[in-house]
């Protein structure tokens, strides 16, 4: 695989705190990779290391094969061909939209480049406004245009939608991704929002306490997590313990395929709520103990053999609390206990 960015065993400490701990990550040209993790896990520090705003204590960072940090090398941020969109946008309040976007560009290129970018991000006609005269979404577009102005090869996005009205986030996400795809740019997105990471990224790097727990496609992380923490972080999860016997795992909801686990292995079966189907059944062994109607879907808690399971069903499938139901499972994931 062709590699644009190569982060190899990079660590960064602030006093006694290891913000990034031996982290390694490769990003291919044209790829959008999301770094997903809880607050304080080192996501933003990783971006700052790649951008050149921080220097690693150990490890190396390469861009297009050239060493930009580590092993005694250091390339200044402005020479890395990296653009960054900050969480708070970091716009200059005393400069107009056009002046913010064109800041730092050579004078001869400034006017045509600014006009081109404002058109690209949908801000035609707003060139003379100031940041305080813009909505949050418009400020984000200005920040993106400014990051794109020097024609970087890599765009770093630090929680870019956290300050945007929730009703606009989905639209803005699509718009930003469309711009990046149109320009054929590579992007690294930092977020704590699992929906954001899973829906936008080609690959997701799940980060915890400064290191990567798992890197893979959104589907891999969701349906084949490497550990229980990863499983629970990327989405609601039910876990059933069991032992592999003759190719199946015996559980409270029946025999489930062992999916390659060895005979006698102690395993946990991961069931996402949407993998648990319910049907009203007077002879069913499970009982609905709780229901949460959410409009687009309904979440049930059912109890079977003393075990509580969460099931997410379309809102058209209505079951009353207290009713007996049968349980059907499809598409399970296993891991060793």
């Amino acid at each position: 695989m062709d590699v644009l960015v190569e982060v190899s065993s990079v660590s960064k400490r602030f006093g006694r705190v290891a913000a990034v701990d031996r982290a390694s990550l490769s990003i291919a040209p044209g790829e959008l990779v999301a770094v997903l993790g809880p607050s304080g896990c080192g996501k933003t520090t990783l971006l700052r290391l790649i951008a050149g705003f921080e220097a690693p204590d150990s490890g190396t960072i390469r861009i297009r094969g050239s060493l930009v940090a580590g092993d005694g090398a250091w390339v200044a941020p402005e020479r890395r061909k990296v653009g960054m969109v900050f969480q708070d946008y970091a716009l200059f309040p005393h400069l107009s939209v056009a002046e913010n976007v064109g800041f730092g560009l050579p004078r001869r290129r400034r006017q045509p480049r600014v006009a081109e970018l404002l058109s690209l991000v949908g801000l035609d006609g707003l060139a003379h406004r100031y940041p305080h005269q813009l909505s949050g979404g418009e400020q984000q577009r200005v920040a993106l245009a400014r990051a794109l102005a020097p024609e970087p090869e890599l765009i770093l996005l630090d929680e870019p939608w956290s300050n945007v009205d929730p009703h606009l986030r989905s639209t803005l996400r699509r718009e930003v991704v469309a711009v990046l795809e149109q320009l054929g740019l590579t992007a690294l997105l930092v977020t704590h929002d699992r929906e954001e990471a899973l829906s936008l990224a080609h690959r997701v790097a799940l980060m915890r306490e400064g290191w990567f727990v798992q890197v893979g496609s959104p589907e891999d992380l969701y349906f084949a997590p490497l550990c229980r923490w990863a499983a629970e972080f990327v989405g609601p999860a039910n876990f059933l313990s069991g032992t592999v016997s003759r190719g199946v795992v015996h559980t409270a909801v029946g025999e489930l395929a062992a999916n390659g686990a060895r005979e006698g292995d102690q395993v946990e079966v991961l069931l996402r709520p949407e993998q648990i189907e319910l049907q009203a059944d007077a002879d069913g062994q499970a009982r609905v103990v709780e229901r949460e109607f959410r409009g687009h879907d309904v979440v049930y808690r059912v109890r079977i053999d003393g075990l509580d399971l969460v099931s997410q069903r379309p809102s058209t499938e209505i079951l009353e609390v207290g009713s007996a139901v049968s349980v059907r499972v499809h598409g399970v994931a296993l891991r060793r206990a």
Side-chain angles (χ1 to χ4, degrees):
M1 179 181 74
D2 192 14
V3 175
L4 178 69
V5 181
E6 184 76 45
V7 177
S8 301
S9 299
V10 164
S11 294
K12 178 65 179 180
R13 300 186 69 88
F14 295 101
R16 296 182 178 180
V17 177
V20 177
D21 187 11
R22 295 165 293 173
S24 295
L25 181 66
S26 298
I27 307 171
E31 190 176 29
L32 194 164
V33 174
V35 177
L36 173 67
S39 297
C41 74
K43 304 185 301 293
T44 295
T45 300
L46 178 70
L47 283 198
R48 293 179 62 82
L49 287 164
I50 294 172
F53 302 141
E54 302 284 353
D57 297 328
S58 59
T60 59
I61 300 172
R62 286 179 166 81
I63 299 177
R64 282 285 184 206
S66 298
L67 190 63
V68 298
D71 284 351
W74 179 255
V75 174
E78 63 272 17
R79 294 178 54 210
R80 296 191 183 190
K81 300 201 75 173
V82 173
M84 188 161 178
V85 178
F86 297 91
Q87 184 174 354
D88 60 0
Y89 312 138
L91 301 178
F92 298 115
H94 62 289
L95 298 183
S96 68
V97 166
E99 290 167 335
N100 265 284
V101 174
F103 187 83
L105 290 179
R107 181 169 297 179
R108 67 183 183 279
R109 294 184 55 213
R110 194 173 301 160
Q111 186 172 347
R113 181 63 174 160
V114 168
E116 174 190 359
L117 288 168
L118 291 183
S119 177
L120 182 67
V121 300
L123 292 178
D124 287 314
L126 300 184
H128 300 296
R129 291 193 184 181
Y130 287 84
H132 72 274
Q133 298 173 312
L134 304 176
S135 67
E138 289 168 339
Q139 289 184 45
Q140 186 202 59
R141 291 186 179 97
V142 176
L144 176 62
R146 185 179 63 182
L148 295 172
E151 300 183 85
E153 292 184 313
L154 173 68
I155 291 290
L156 305 177
L157 304 161
D158 186 10
E159 305 260 13
W161 298 287
S162 61
N163 294 324
V164 177
D165 188 300
H167 298 293
L168 297 176
R169 284 178 194 165
S170 180
T171 300
L172 286 171
R173 289 171 189 165
R174 291 196 301 271
E175 290 178 354
V176 170
V177 171
V179 168
L180 297 177
E181 289 178 344
Q182 181 178 338
L183 298 176
L185 286 172
T186 306
L188 183 61
L189 164 70
V190 152
T191 180
H192 66 271
D193 186 322
R194 63 195 181 205
E195 178 183 319
E196 199 166 274
L198 297 176
S199 64
L200 298 180
H202 299 117
R203 286 189 302 138
V204 178
L206 184 59
M207 197 173 204
R208 183 186 190 190
E209 297 179 350
W211 60 282
F212 290 118
V213 175
Q214 184 173 354
V215 180
S217 70
E219 293 81 4
D220 283 343
L221 265 73
Y222 192 72
F223 290 113
L226 295 181
C227 64
R228 185 165 182 146
W229 182 86
E232 293 177 322
F233 191 84
V234 299
N238 299 286
F239 296 96
L240 287 80
S241 298
T243 303
V244 177
S245 176
R246 298 180 180 179
V248 298
V249 184
H250 298 272
T251 73
V253 295
E255 295 181 347
L256 302 175
N259 292 347
R262 295 177 300 181
E263 186 75 9
D265 276 352
Q266 295 292 318
V267 299
E268 281 187 321
V269 183
L270 164 64
L271 299 178
R272 296 296 183 188
E274 63 274 15
Q275 292 177 293
I276 300 178
E277 298 177 359
L278 305 176
Q279 186 169 352
D281 182 353
D283 298 321
Q285 300 300 305
R287 191 166 298 275
V288 177
V289 295
E290 190 175 291
R291 184 182 76 181
E292 179 185 344
F293 183 78
R294 304 195 302 190
H296 52 80
D297 62 21
V298 56
V299 176
Y300 294 100
R301 185 162 59 89
V302 298
R303 186 164 297 153
I304 181 169
D305 289 348
L307 177 69
D308 281 8
L309 298 175
V310 176
S311 171
Q312 181 179 350
R313 307 306 305 152
S315 55
T316 53
E317 297 183 15
I318 302 299
L319 298 166
E320 297 300 327
V321 173
S323 61
V325 295
S326 57
V327 177
R328 179 177 177 271
V329 174
H330 60 94
V332 301
L334 297 179
R335 76 177 186 87
R336 287 179 178 81

